[in-house]
Amino acid sequence: LHQPYGSWPEMLIERHLKIVPKGVSMDDMLVAPVGTGPFKFESYTPGDKLVAVNNADYWEAGLPKLKQVTLRIMPEDAAKIAALNAGDIDILWNVPLEAIKELSASQTIKVDPVPTGTWDGIVMKNDLKPFTDVRVRQAVLKSLDKAQLVQFALFGQGAPTHTPVPPNHPFFDASLPLKPDVAGARKLLAEAGYPRGFEITLNVPVGRPTRERAAVAIQQMLKPAGINVKLERVPYSRWGATVAGKAPFYMDGYLSRPTIDTATYPWYHSSGSWNKQMWNFKSDRIDTALDKGRLATSEDERKEQYKLFQKDALEDVPGVVMYVINFATAYRNNLQGYRTHPYSWMDLRRAHF
């Protein structure tokens, strides 16, 4: 029950083919949704709450265990945390990362963070100067201390990575360098014709706190290499029309995908849908690795190709993936049978008090 960081059309294509009863229109579905899940829609009060009740015809025997679920709509983080502490709500979905330490100290609340493949990154438009030169893109990458970005932007709730392949994935290549190399970045900029560096604007979306915090750190990290960054915060209501896919240098982020193919191919293959919208990048060797990885018939072969992909991505640098982000829920100690899901789903089938 959330909008992903990407576009709705892609989300609908990627996730599911919807099947609804004959004669039910989309307008009907907006006010009275139907399905075969563990809970049935009962009511919705705009701006306040959605109520769902136990589906007696659910196909998994004995589930769900709860009779009713109320999803509260609470925009303010402080109000959500106060409501959880007071016992007015039982689960806080998507705990703000900065609140995890505070909530973890509670004797009545369990905080349950899990690693995910959700990532934040820097988009560099490969068809716009100065990022038409791979040495400039490499210099940006080499200037960043990703481990420090995890601490500053995520309060330690995440891990640095090279690409959308997260460190807990069996195909992650831990041998590749993650540490910054500012001297190497300055050398590359000089070779690219920028011996004194250059100035550029980095667009940052308002209301995406991890990216807002990361942008401040990135501004300082790029300065020693000679890249002087001006931060421009853009309201998300104008982001798609003015920044996404248009600006030469901006922050963006994407939710975890369920397979390594769907996590990499759309962003890095020359025919990839997100590649065409974002950095407009082409690498024959990356295309080959991703095509072979997609068609591989053994795990060893797939692992080899995706390790090649990661190595090549650090050299060809379409853009920068900084880190993957933990996802956390917090819930009252008397709630049992619930665990945080790495795809941000709220699975309440086995939850009970």
Side-chain angles (χ1 to χ4, degrees), residues 65-226:
K65 297 185 177 183
L66 296 173
K67 292 182 179 179
Q68 178 177 296
V69 174
T70 299
L71 303 180
R72 295 282 306 280
I73 300 168
M74 304 174 71
E76 298 298 326
D77 287 342
K80 299 174 193 175
I81 293 166
L84 182 67
N85 280 320
D88 296 332
I89 60 174
D90 300 296
I91 299 178
L92 174 54
W93 180 84
N94 197 11
V95 178
L97 299 181
E98 61 270 27
I100 288 178
K101 184 177 180 180
E102 171 196 341
L103 288 172
S104 296
S106 171
Q107 299 299 310
T108 59
I109 294 169
K110 177 176 176 57
V111 182
D112 187 21
V114 295
T116 76
T118 296
W119 56 273
D120 283 344
I122 303 172
V123 177
M124 295 181 279
K125 288 284 285 181
N126 288 203
D127 55 343
L128 296 177
K129 289 184 176 183
F131 303 116
T132 51
D133 193 319
V134 68
R135 292 169 296 187
V136 174
R137 305 196 302 268
Q138 290 171 341
V140 172
L141 175 62
K142 285 179 177 291
S143 300
L144 301 180
D145 188 330
K146 293 184 177 182
Q148 286 298 313
L149 285 173
V150 168
Q151 296 303 315
F152 188 80
L154 309 181
F155 300 93
Q157 291 294 323
T161 189
H162 315 297
T163 70
V165 181
N168 62 343
H169 194 283
F171 296 170
F172 179 76
D173 193 340
S175 69
L176 296 175
L178 276 167
K179 292 183 178 180
D181 177 9
V182 177
R186 286 197 296 263
K187 182 175 183 292
L188 285 165
L189 287 177
E191 292 173 359
Y194 300 97
R196 298 182 180 178
F198 60 89
E199 294 183 357
I200 194 165
T201 296
L202 177 65
N203 293 114
V204 187
V206 175
R208 296 295 187 268
T210 62
R211 278 171 249 166
E212 291 184 270
R213 290 190 292 265
V216 174
I218 288 166
Q219 182 185 45
Q220 299 306 312
M221 290 177 181
L222 293 180
K223 196 168 185 178

Side-chain angles (χ1 to χ4, degrees), residues 20 52 86 124 132 135 154 166 198 213-214 249 251-252 255 287 300 305 338 340 351:
V20 300
M124 295 181 279
T132 51
R135 292 169 296 187
L154 309 181
F198 60 89
R213 290 190 292 265
F249 199 46
M251 306 282 292
D252 220 327
L255 292 176
D287 280 0
D300 287 343
Q305 293 305 322
Y338 175 81
T340 304

Side-chain angles (χ1 to χ4, degrees), residues 1 31-33 39-46 48-54 67-73 348:
L1 298 176
V31 295
F39 297 96
K40 297 189 297 185
F41 173 82
E42 182 171 90
S43 66
Y44 170 57
T45 306
D48 182 22
K49 63 185 178 182
L50 184 150
V51 179
V53 296
N54 184 297
K67 292 182 179 179
Q68 178 177 296
V69 174
T70 299
L71 303 180
R72 295 282 306 280
I73 300 168
L348 297 172

Side-chain angles (χ1 to χ4, degrees), residues 23-45:
V24 175
S25 70
M26 287 304 298
D27 289 339
D28 296 332
M29 293 288 288
L30 289 173
V31 295
V34 297
T36 59
F39 297 96
K40 297 189 297 185
F41 173 82
E42 182 171 90
S43 66
Y44 170 57
T45 306

